[in-house]
Coordinates of all heavy atoms in Angstrom, one line a residue:
M1 N 34.2 -35.7 -105.1 CA 33.3 -35.0 -104.0 C 31.8 -35.3 -104.3 O 31.0 -35.0 -103.5 CB 33.7 -33.6 -103.7 CG 35.1 -33.4 -103.3 SD 35.6 -34.5 -101.9 CE 34.5 -33.9 -100.5
L2 N 31.6 -35.6 -105.6 CA 30.2 -35.6 -106.0 C 29.5 -36.8 -105.3 O 28.3 -36.7 -104.9 CB 30.2 -36.0 -107.6 CG 28.9 -36.0 -108.2 CD1 28.1 -34.7 -108.1 CD2 29.0 -36.4 -109.6
G3 N 30.3 -37.9 -105.1 CA 29.7 -39.0 -104.4 C 29.2 -38.7 -103.0 O 28.2 -39.2 -102.6
S4 N 29.9 -38.0 -102.2 CA 29.6 -37.6 -100.8 C 28.4 -36.9 -100.9 O 27.4 -37.0 -100.0 CB 30.7 -36.9 -100.1 OG 30.9 -35.6 -100.8
G5 N 28.1 -36.0 -101.8 CA 26.9 -35.1 -101.9 C 25.7 -36.0 -102.2 O 24.6 -35.8 -101.6
I6 N 25.9 -37.0 -103.1 CA 24.7 -37.9 -103.3 C 24.3 -38.7 -102.1 O 23.3 -39.0 -101.8 CB 25.1 -38.9 -104.4 CG1 25.1 -38.1 -105.8 CG2 24.0 -40.0 -104.6 CD1 25.6 -38.9 -106.9
Q7 N 25.4 -39.2 -101.3 CA 25.2 -39.9 -100.1 C 24.4 -39.2 -99.2 O 23.5 -39.7 -98.5 CB 26.6 -40.2 -99.5 CG 26.5 -41.2 -98.3 CD 26.1 -42.6 -98.7 OE1 26.5 -43.0 -99.8 NE2 25.4 -43.1 -98.0
V8 N 24.7 -37.9 -99.0 CA 23.9 -37.0 -97.9 C 22.5 -36.9 -98.4 O 21.6 -37.0 -97.7 CB 24.5 -35.7 -97.9 CG1 23.7 -34.8 -97.0 CG2 25.9 -35.7 -97.3
F9 N 22.3 -36.8 -99.8 CA 20.9 -36.7 -100.3 C 20.1 -37.9 -100.0 O 18.9 -37.9 -99.6 CB 21.1 -36.3 -101.9 CG 19.7 -36.2 -102.5 CD1 18.9 -35.1 -102.3 CD2 19.2 -37.2 -103.4 CE1 17.7 -35.0 -102.9 CE2 18.0 -37.1 -103.9 CZ 17.3 -35.9 -103.7
V10 N 20.8 -39.1 -100.3 CA 19.9 -40.4 -99.9 C 19.6 -40.5 -98.5 O 18.5 -40.9 -98.2 CB 20.8 -41.5 -100.5 CG1 20.1 -42.8 -100.0 CG2 20.9 -41.5 -102.1
N11 N 20.5 -40.2 -97.7 CA 20.3 -40.3 -96.3 C 19.2 -39.4 -95.8 O 18.4 -39.7 -94.9 CB 21.5 -39.9 -95.5 CG 22.6 -41.0 -95.6 OD1 22.3 -42.2 -95.9 ND2 23.8 -40.8 -95.2
K12 N 19.1 -38.2 -96.4 CA 18.0 -37.1 -96.1 C 16.7 -37.8 -96.4 O 15.7 -37.7 -95.7 CB 18.3 -35.9 -96.9 CG 17.1 -35.0 -96.8 CD 17.2 -34.1 -95.6 CE 16.3 -32.8 -95.6 NZ 15.0 -33.2 -96.0
N13 N 16.6 -38.5 -97.6 CA 15.4 -39.1 -98.1 C 15.0 -40.2 -97.1 O 13.9 -40.4 -96.7 CB 15.5 -39.7 -99.5 CG 15.3 -38.6 -100.5 OD1 15.0 -37.5 -100.2 ND2 15.7 -38.9 -101.7
N14 N 15.9 -41.0 -96.6 CA 15.6 -42.0 -95.7 C 15.2 -41.5 -94.4 O 14.2 -42.1 -93.8 CB 16.9 -42.9 -95.4 CG 17.2 -43.9 -96.7 OD1 16.3 -44.1 -97.4 ND2 18.5 -44.3 -96.7
L15 N 15.7 -40.3 -94.0 CA 15.4 -39.7 -92.7 C 13.9 -39.3 -92.8 O 13.1 -39.4 -92.0 CB 16.2 -38.6 -92.5 CG 16.5 -38.3 -91.0 CD1 16.9 -39.5 -90.2 CD2 17.5 -37.1 -91.0
D16 N 13.5 -38.7 -94.0 CA 12.1 -38.2 -94.2 C 11.2 -39.4 -94.1 O 10.0 -39.2 -93.5 CB 12.0 -37.4 -95.5 CG 12.8 -36.1 -95.4 OD1 13.1 -35.7 -94.3 OD2 13.0 -35.7 -96.5
K17 N 11.5 -40.5 -94.8 CA 10.7 -41.6 -94.6 C 10.5 -42.1 -93.4 O 9.4 -42.5 -92.9 CB 11.1 -42.7 -95.7 CG 10.9 -42.4 -97.1 CD 11.4 -43.6 -98.1 CE 11.2 -43.3 -99.5 NZ 11.6 -44.3 -100.3
A18 N 11.6 -42.1 -92.6 CA 11.6 -42.7 -91.2 C 10.6 -41.7 -90.3 O 9.9 -42.3 -89.6 CB 13.0 -42.6 -90.7
V19 N 10.7 -40.5 -90.6 CA 9.8 -39.6 -89.7 C 8.3 -39.9 -90.2 O 7.5 -40.0 -89.3 CB 10.2 -38.1 -90.1 CG1 9.2 -37.2 -89.4 CG2 11.5 -37.8 -89.5
E20 N 8.1 -40.1 -91.4 CA 6.7 -40.3 -91.8 C 6.2 -41.7 -91.2 O 5.2 -41.8 -90.7 CB 6.7 -40.5 -93.3 CG 6.8 -39.2 -94.0 CD 6.7 -39.5 -95.5 OE1 6.3 -40.5 -96.0 OE2 7.1 -38.4 -96.3
L21 N 7.1 -42.7 -91.2 CA 6.7 -43.9 -90.6 C 6.5 -43.8 -89.0 O 5.6 -44.4 -88.5 CB 7.9 -45.0 -90.8 CG 7.9 -45.5 -92.3 CD1 9.2 -46.4 -92.4 CD2 6.8 -46.4 -92.6
L22 N 7.3 -43.1 -88.5 CA 7.2 -42.8 -87.0 C 5.9 -42.2 -86.7 O 5.2 -42.5 -85.7 CB 8.3 -41.8 -86.6 CG 8.3 -41.7 -85.0 CD1 8.5 -42.9 -84.3 CD2 9.4 -40.6 -84.7
Q23 N 5.5 -41.2 -87.5 CA 4.2 -40.4 -87.3 C 3.0 -41.3 -87.6 O 2.0 -41.1 -87.0 CB 4.2 -39.1 -88.1 CG 5.3 -38.1 -87.5 CD 5.2 -36.8 -88.2 OE1 4.9 -36.6 -89.4 NE2 5.6 -35.8 -87.5
D24 N 3.2 -42.2 -88.5 CA 2.1 -43.1 -88.9 C 2.0 -44.2 -87.7 O 0.8 -44.6 -87.3 CB 2.3 -44.0 -90.1 CG 2.0 -43.0 -91.3 OD1 1.4 -42.0 -91.1 OD2 2.5 -43.3 -92.4
K25 N 3.2 -44.6 -87.2 CA 3.1 -45.6 -86.2 C 2.5 -45.1 -84.9 O 1.8 -45.9 -84.3 CB 4.7 -46.1 -85.9 CG 4.8 -47.1 -84.8 CD 6.2 -47.5 -84.8 CE 6.5 -48.6 -83.7 NZ 7.9 -48.9 -83.5
I26 N 2.8 -43.9 -84.5 CA 2.2 -43.2 -83.3 C 0.8 -42.7 -83.7 O 0.8 -41.5 -84.1 CB 3.1 -42.4 -82.7 CG1 4.5 -43.0 -82.4 CG2 2.4 -41.8 -81.4 CD1 5.5 -42.0 -81.8
E27 N -0.2 -43.5 -83.5 CA -1.5 -43.0 -84.0 C -2.0 -41.7 -83.3 O -2.1 -41.8 -81.9 CB -2.6 -44.1 -83.8 CG -3.9 -43.8 -84.1 CD -4.1 -43.6 -85.7 OE1 -3.2 -44.2 -86.5 OE2 -5.1 -42.9 -86.1
P28 N -2.2 -40.7 -83.8 CA -2.7 -39.4 -83.1 C -4.0 -39.6 -82.6 O -4.9 -39.4 -83.2 CB -2.7 -38.3 -84.2 CG -1.8 -39.0 -85.4 CD -2.1 -40.5 -85.3
N29 N -4.0 -39.8 -81.3 CA -5.4 -40.0 -80.6 C -5.7 -38.6 -80.1 O -5.6 -38.3 -78.9 CB -5.2 -41.0 -79.4 CG -6.6 -41.1 -78.8 OD1 -7.6 -40.9 -79.3 ND2 -6.5 -41.6 -77.5
N30 N -6.0 -37.6 -81.0 CA -6.1 -36.3 -80.7 C -7.6 -35.7 -80.8 O -7.7 -34.5 -80.8 CB -5.2 -35.5 -81.6 CG -5.5 -35.7 -83.1 OD1 -6.5 -36.2 -83.4 ND2 -4.6 -35.3 -83.9
S31 N -8.5 -36.6 -80.8 CA -9.9 -36.1 -81.1 C -10.4 -35.3 -79.9 O -11.3 -34.5 -79.9 CB -10.8 -37.3 -81.3 OG -10.8 -38.3 -80.1
E32 N -9.8 -35.6 -78.6 CA -10.3 -34.9 -77.5 C -9.4 -33.8 -77.0 O -9.6 -33.1 -76.1 CB -10.4 -35.9 -76.3 CG -11.3 -37.0 -76.6 CD -11.3 -38.1 -75.5 OE1 -10.5 -37.8 -74.5 OE2 -11.9 -39.1 -75.7
L33 N -8.4 -33.5 -77.9 CA -7.4 -32.4 -77.5 C -7.9 -31.1 -78.0 O -8.4 -31.0 -79.1 CB -6.0 -32.7 -78.0 CG -5.3 -33.9 -77.6 CD1 -4.0 -34.2 -78.2 CD2 -5.0 -33.7 -76.0
I34 N -7.8 -30.0 -77.3 CA -8.3 -28.7 -77.6 C -7.1 -27.8 -77.3 O -6.4 -27.9 -76.2 CB -9.5 -28.3 -76.9 CG1 -10.7 -29.2 -77.1 CG2 -9.8 -26.8 -77.1 CD1 -11.9 -28.9 -76.4
C35 N -6.9 -26.9 -78.1 CA -5.8 -25.9 -78.0 C -6.1 -25.0 -76.7 O -7.2 -24.5 -76.7 CB -5.5 -25.1 -79.2 SG -4.3 -23.8 -78.9
Q36 N -5.1 -24.9 -75.8 CA -5.4 -24.1 -74.6 C -5.3 -22.6 -75.0 O -5.6 -21.7 -74.2 CB -4.4 -24.4 -73.6 CG -4.5 -25.9 -73.1 CD -3.2 -26.4 -72.5 OE1 -2.1 -26.1 -73.0 NE2 -3.3 -27.3 -71.5
N37 N -4.6 -22.3 -76.1 CA -4.4 -20.9 -76.5 C -5.6 -20.3 -77.3 O -6.1 -19.1 -76.9 CB -3.2 -20.8 -77.3 CG -2.7 -19.4 -77.5 OD1 -2.7 -18.5 -76.6 ND2 -2.4 -19.1 -78.7
C38 N -6.1 -21.0 -78.3 CA -7.2 -20.5 -79.1 C -8.4 -21.2 -79.1 O -9.4 -20.9 -79.8 CB -6.5 -20.3 -80.5 SG -6.2 -21.8 -81.5
G39 N -8.4 -22.4 -78.5 CA -9.6 -23.3 -78.5 C -9.8 -24.1 -79.6 O -10.8 -24.9 -79.7
S40 N -8.8 -24.1 -80.6 CA -9.0 -24.9 -81.7 C -8.9 -26.4 -81.5 O -8.2 -26.8 -80.6 CB -7.9 -24.4 -82.8 OG -8.0 -25.5 -83.9
K41 N -9.6 -27.2 -82.2 CA -9.4 -28.6 -82.3 C -8.6 -29.2 -83.3 O -8.5 -30.4 -83.6 CB -10.8 -29.4 -82.3 CG -11.7 -29.0 -81.0 CD -13.0 -29.9 -81.0 CE -13.7 -29.7 -79.8 NZ -15.0 -30.3 -79.8
N42 N -8.0 -28.3 -84.0 CA -7.1 -28.6 -85.2 C -5.7 -28.9 -84.7 O -4.8 -28.2 -84.8 CB -7.1 -27.4 -86.2 CG -6.4 -27.9 -87.5 OD1 -6.3 -29.1 -87.8 ND2 -6.0 -26.9 -88.3
I43 N -5.6 -30.2 -84.1 CA -4.4 -30.5 -83.4 C -3.6 -31.5 -84.2 O -4.2 -32.5 -84.8 CB -4.7 -31.2 -82.0 CG1 -5.6 -30.2 -81.2 CG2 -3.5 -31.3 -81.3 CD1 -5.0 -28.8 -80.9
G44 N -2.2 -31.3 -84.3 CA -1.5 -32.2 -85.2 C -0.4 -32.8 -84.2 O -0.1 -32.3 -83.1
L45 N 0.2 -33.8 -84.8 CA 1.4 -34.4 -84.1 C 2.7 -33.8 -84.6 O 3.0 -33.8 -85.9 CB 1.3 -35.8 -84.3 CG 2.2 -36.8 -83.5 CD1 1.9 -36.6 -82.0 CD2 2.0 -38.2 -83.9
G46 N 3.6 -33.3 -83.8 CA 4.8 -32.8 -84.1 C 5.9 -33.2 -83.2 O 5.8 -33.9 -82.2
L47 N 7.2 -32.9 -83.8 CA 8.3 -33.4 -83.0 C 8.8 -32.3 -82.1 O 9.7 -32.6 -81.2 CB 9.5 -33.9 -84.0 CG 9.1 -35.0 -84.9 CD1 10.2 -35.2 -85.8 CD2 8.8 -36.3 -84.1
G48 N 8.3 -31.0 -82.1 CA 8.5 -30.1 -81.2 C 10.0 -29.7 -81.1 O 10.6 -29.8 -82.1
K49 N 10.4 -29.2 -79.9 CA 11.6 -28.7 -79.7 C 12.8 -29.8 -79.7 O 13.8 -29.5 -79.9 CB 11.8 -27.9 -78.5 CG 10.9 -26.7 -78.5 CD 10.9 -26.0 -77.1 CE 10.0 -24.7 -77.1 NZ 9.8 -24.1 -75.7
R50 N 12.2 -31.1 -79.5 CA 13.3 -32.2 -79.5 C 13.4 -32.8 -80.9 O 14.0 -33.8 -81.1 CB 12.6 -33.3 -78.7 CG 12.5 -32.9 -77.2 CD 11.8 -33.9 -76.3 NE 12.6 -35.1 -76.3 CZ 12.0 -36.3 -76.5 NH1 10.7 -36.4 -76.9 NH2 12.8 -37.4 -76.4
K51 N 13.1 -32.0 -81.9 CA 13.1 -32.6 -83.3 C 14.5 -33.0 -83.6 O 14.7 -34.1 -84.1 CB 12.7 -31.5 -84.2 CG 12.6 -31.9 -85.7 CD 12.0 -30.9 -86.7 CE 11.8 -31.6 -88.1 NZ 11.2 -30.5 -89.0
A52 N 15.5 -32.2 -83.4 CA 16.9 -32.6 -83.8 C 17.3 -33.8 -83.0 O 17.9 -34.7 -83.6 CB 17.8 -31.3 -83.4
F53 N 16.9 -33.9 -81.7 CA 17.3 -34.9 -80.9 C 16.6 -36.3 -81.5 O 17.3 -37.4 -81.7 CB 16.9 -34.8 -79.5 CG 17.0 -35.9 -78.6 CD1 18.3 -36.4 -78.1 CD2 16.0 -36.8 -78.2 CE1 18.3 -37.5 -77.3 CE2 16.0 -37.8 -77.4 CZ 17.3 -38.2 -77.0
I54 N 15.3 -36.2 -81.8 CA 14.6 -37.3 -82.4 C 15.2 -37.7 -83.7 O 15.4 -38.9 -84.0 CB 13.1 -36.9 -82.4 CG1 12.7 -36.8 -81.0 CG2 12.4 -38.0 -83.2 CD1 11.1 -36.3 -80.9
L55 N 15.4 -36.8 -84.5 CA 15.9 -37.0 -85.9 C 17.3 -37.8 -85.7 O 17.5 -38.7 -86.5 CB 16.1 -35.8 -86.8 CG 14.8 -35.2 -87.2 CD1 15.1 -33.9 -88.0 CD2 14.0 -36.1 -88.0
F56 N 18.1 -37.3 -84.8 CA 19.3 -38.0 -84.6 C 19.1 -39.5 -84.1 O 19.8 -40.4 -84.6 CB 20.1 -37.3 -83.5 CG 21.3 -38.0 -83.1 CD1 22.5 -38.0 -83.9 CD2 21.5 -38.7 -82.0 CE1 23.7 -38.6 -83.6 CE2 22.6 -39.5 -81.6 CZ 23.8 -39.3 -82.5
N57 N 18.1 -39.7 -83.3 CA 17.9 -41.1 -82.8 C 17.3 -42.0 -84.0 O 17.6 -43.1 -84.0 CB 16.7 -41.0 -81.7 CG 17.3 -40.9 -80.4 OD1 17.9 -41.8 -79.8 ND2 17.3 -39.6 -79.9
I58 N 16.5 -41.4 -84.8 CA 15.9 -42.1 -86.1 C 17.1 -42.4 -86.9 O 17.2 -43.6 -87.4 CB 14.9 -41.2 -86.7 CG1 13.7 -41.0 -86.0 CG2 14.6 -41.8 -88.2 CD1 12.8 -40.0 -86.5
F59 N 18.1 -41.4 -87.1 CA 19.2 -41.8 -87.9 C 20.1 -42.9 -87.4 O 20.5 -43.8 -88.1 CB 20.1 -40.5 -88.1 CG 21.3 -40.7 -89.0 CD1 20.9 -40.7 -90.3 CD2 22.5 -40.6 -88.5 CE1 22.0 -40.8 -91.2 CE2 23.6 -40.8 -89.4 CZ 23.3 -40.9 -90.8
V60 N 20.3 -42.9 -86.1 CA 21.1 -43.9 -85.4 C 20.3 -45.3 -85.6 O 20.9 -46.4 -85.8 CB 21.4 -43.6 -83.9 CG1 21.9 -44.9 -83.2 CG2 22.2 -42.5 -83.8
A61 N 19.0 -45.2 -85.4 CA 18.2 -46.4 -85.4 C 18.2 -47.0 -86.8 O 18.2 -48.3 -87.1 CB 16.8 -46.1 -85.1
L62 N 18.2 -46.2 -87.9 CA 18.3 -46.7 -89.3 C 19.5 -47.4 -89.4 O 19.6 -48.4 -90.2 CB 18.1 -45.5 -90.3 CG 16.8 -44.9 -90.4 CD1 16.9 -43.7 -91.3 CD2 15.9 -46.0 -91.0
L63 N 20.6 -47.0 -88.9 CA 21.9 -47.6 -89.1 C 22.2 -48.8 -88.3 O 22.8 -49.7 -88.7 CB 23.1 -46.5 -88.6 CG 23.1 -45.3 -89.5 CD1 24.2 -44.4 -89.0 CD2 23.5 -45.6 -91.0
S64 N 21.4 -48.9 -87.2 CA 21.7 -50.1 -86.2 C 20.5 -50.9 -85.9 O 20.5 -51.7 -85.0 CB 22.3 -49.5 -84.9 OG 21.5 -48.5 -84.5
A65 N 19.3 -50.5 -86.4 CA 18.2 -51.3 -86.3 C 17.6 -51.2 -84.9 O 17.1 -52.2 -84.3 CB 18.3 -52.7 -86.8
I66 N 17.9 -50.3 -84.2 CA 17.3 -50.1 -82.8 C 15.9 -49.7 -82.9 O 15.5 -48.8 -83.6 CB 18.2 -49.0 -82.1 CG1 19.5 -49.4 -81.8 CG2 17.5 -48.7 -80.6 CD1 20.5 -48.3 -81.3
P67 N 15.0 -50.3 -82.1 CA 13.5 -49.9 -82.1 C 13.3 -48.5 -81.7 O 14.1 -48.1 -80.8 CB 12.9 -50.9 -81.1 CG 14.0 -52.1 -81.1 CD 15.3 -51.4 -81.2
L68 N 12.3 -47.8 -82.3 CA 12.0 -46.5 -82.0 C 11.0 -46.5 -81.0 O 9.9 -45.8 -81.1 CB 11.7 -45.7 -83.3 CG 12.7 -45.6 -84.3 CD1 12.0 -45.1 -85.7 CD2 13.8 -44.7 -84.0
G69 N 11.2 -47.0 -79.7 CA 10.1 -47.1 -78.9 C 10.1 -46.0 -78.0 O 9.0 -45.8 -77.3
N70 N 11.2 -45.3 -77.7 CA 11.1 -44.3 -76.6 C 11.0 -42.8 -77.1 O 11.3 -42.0 -76.5 CB 12.3 -44.4 -75.7 CG 13.7 -44.3 -76.5 OD1 13.5 -44.3 -77.8 ND2 14.8 -44.1 -75.8
L71 N 10.5 -42.7 -78.4 CA 10.4 -41.4 -78.9 C 8.9 -40.8 -78.7 O 8.0 -41.6 -79.1 CB 10.7 -41.3 -80.4 CG 12.2 -41.8 -80.7 CD1 12.5 -41.8 -82.1 CD2 13.2 -40.9 -79.9
K72 N 8.8 -39.7 -78.2 CA 7.4 -39.1 -77.9 C 7.2 -37.9 -78.7 O 7.5 -36.8 -78.0 CB 7.2 -39.1 -76.4 CG 7.3 -40.4 -75.6 CD 7.1 -40.1 -74.1 CE 7.2 -41.5 -73.4 NZ 7.1 -41.3 -72.0
P73 N 6.6 -37.9 -79.7 CA 6.4 -36.7 -80.4 C 5.3 -35.8 -79.7 O 4.4 -36.5 -79.0 CB 5.9 -37.1 -81.8 CG 6.4 -38.4 -82.1 CD 6.5 -39.1 -80.6
K74 N 5.4 -34.6 -79.8 CA 4.2 -33.8 -79.1 C 3.1 -33.3 -80.0 O 3.3 -33.2 -81.3 CB 4.9 -32.6 -78.4 CG 5.9 -33.1 -77.3 CD 6.5 -31.9 -76.7 CE 7.4 -32.3 -75.5 NZ 7.9 -31.2 -74.6
Y75 N 2.0 -33.1 -79.4 CA 0.9 -32.5 -80.1 C 1.0 -30.9 -80.2 O 1.5 -30.4 -79.2 CB -0.4 -32.9 -79.4 CG -0.7 -34.3 -79.4 CD1 -0.7 -35.1 -78.4 CD2 -1.0 -34.9 -80.7 CE1 -0.9 -36.5 -78.4 CE2 -1.4 -36.3 -80.7 CZ -1.2 -37.1 -79.6 OH -1.5 -38.4 -79.6
Y76 N 0.5 -30.3 -81.3 CA 0.6 -28.9 -81.3 C -0.6 -28.5 -82.0 O -1.2 -29.2 -82.9 CB 1.8 -28.4 -82.0 CG 1.9 -28.8 -83.5 CD1 1.6 -27.9 -84.4 CD2 2.3 -30.1 -83.9 CE1 1.7 -28.2 -85.8 CE2 2.4 -30.5 -85.2 CZ 2.0 -29.5 -86.2 OH 2.2 -29.8 -87.5
C77 N -1.1 -27.3 -81.8 CA -2.2 -26.6 -82.6 C -1.7 -26.1 -83.9 O -0.8 -25.4 -84.1 CB -2.6 -25.4 -81.8 SG -3.9 -24.5 -82.6
K78 N -2.5 -26.6 -85.0 CA -2.0 -26.2 -86.2 C -2.5 -24.8 -86.6 O -2.0 -24.3 -87.6 CB -2.9 -27.2 -87.2 CG -2.3 -28.6 -87.2 CD -2.9 -29.5 -88.2 CE -2.4 -30.9 -88.4 NZ -3.0 -31.8 -89.2
D79 N -3.3 -24.1 -85.8 CA -3.9 -22.9 -86.1 C -2.8 -21.7 -85.5 O -2.4 -20.9 -86.2 CB -5.2 -22.6 -85.5 CG -6.2 -23.5 -86.2 OD1 -5.9 -23.8 -87.5 OD2 -7.3 -23.7 -85.7
C80 N -2.4 -22.0 -84.3 CA -1.5 -20.9 -83.6 C -0.2 -21.5 -83.2 O 0.6 -20.8 -82.7 CB -2.2 -20.4 -82.4 SG -2.4 -21.6 -81.1
K81 N 0.1 -22.8 -83.6 CA 1.4 -23.4 -83.3 C 1.7 -23.6 -81.9 O 2.9 -23.7 -81.5 CB 2.5 -22.6 -84.0 CG 2.2 -22.4 -85.5 CD 2.0 -23.6 -86.3 CE 1.8 -23.3 -87.7 NZ 1.5 -24.5 -88.6
T82 N 0.8 -23.6 -81.1 CA 1.1 -23.7 -79.6 C 1.2 -25.2 -79.3 O 0.4 -26.0 -79.8 CB 0.0 -23.0 -78.6 OG1 -0.2 -21.6 -79.0 CG2 0.1 -23.3 -77.3
E83 N 2.1 -25.5 -78.4 CA 2.3 -26.9 -78.0 C 1.2 -27.3 -77.1 O 0.9 -26.6 -76.1 CB 3.7 -27.0 -77.4 CG 4.0 -28.5 -77.1 CD 5.6 -28.6 -76.5 OE1 6.5 -28.3 -77.3 OE2 5.6 -28.8 -75.4
I84 N 0.7 -28.5 -77.2 CA -0.5 -28.9 -76.3 C 0.3 -29.7 -75.3 O 0.9 -30.7 -75.5 CB -1.5 -29.8 -77.1 CG1 -1.9 -29.1 -78.3 CG2 -2.5 -30.3 -76.1 CD1 -2.6 -27.8 -78.0
K85 N 0.0 -29.4 -74.0 CA 0.6 -30.1 -72.8 C -0.4 -31.2 -72.3 O -1.6 -31.0 -72.4 CB 0.9 -29.2 -71.7 CG 2.0 -28.2 -72.2 CD 2.3 -27.1 -71.2 CE 3.4 -26.2 -71.9 NZ 3.7 -25.0 -71.0
Ligands
ZN1 ZN1 -4.2 -22.8 -81.0

């Protein structure tokens, strides 16, 4: 059973790298975004509530080489964690 544990660990690393690549690929054009809740301009790019869904898609894409074209991470305020619409 040791082998299966290592397998999961490796896949987790690949998944983290895939998320990093995805966030690099989608350039955060957030200079004009302002938090509607606290007025902060400290806006980041996040996967929001769809994170599990997106991670699943990344995982499938890694296995089958499907382009990650239709994933849309959301912007969020880094100060108060409010999602930017
Ligand atoms: Zn805020």
Side-chain angles (χ1 to χ4, degrees):
M1 298 312 291
L2 183 63
S4 63
I6 293 174
Q7 187 68 38
V8 172
F9 181 73
V10 171
N11 285 342
K12 172 86 167 51
N13 281 346
N14 287 342
L15 207 57
D16 289 342
K17 285 184 179 179
V19 171
E20 289 180 14
L21 287 174
L22 180 66
Q23 293 186 328
D24 282 345
K25 183 178 178 182
I26 304 174
E27 181 68 21
N29 183 20
N30 56 13
S31 60
E32 298 172 4
L33 291 175
I34 298 176
C35 177
Q36 297 155 327
N37 188 47
C38 70
S40 172
K41 292 184 178 180
N42 191 17
I43 306 302
L45 191 62
L47 298 178
K49 296 174 182 176
R50 295 172 64 228
K51 185 172 183 178
F53 172 76
I54 291 174
L55 287 178
F56 175 76
N57 273 281
I58 291 172
F59 185 68
V60 172
L62 284 175
L63 293 178
S64 55
I66 296 173
L68 294 168
N70 59 347
L71 300 177
K72 297 179 180 178
K74 294 188 175 183
Y75 295 107
Y76 68 97
C77 174
K78 289 181 179 178
D79 290 336
C80 68
K81 309 301 181 185
T82 298
E83 187 177 291
I84 307 300
K85 296 178 181 176

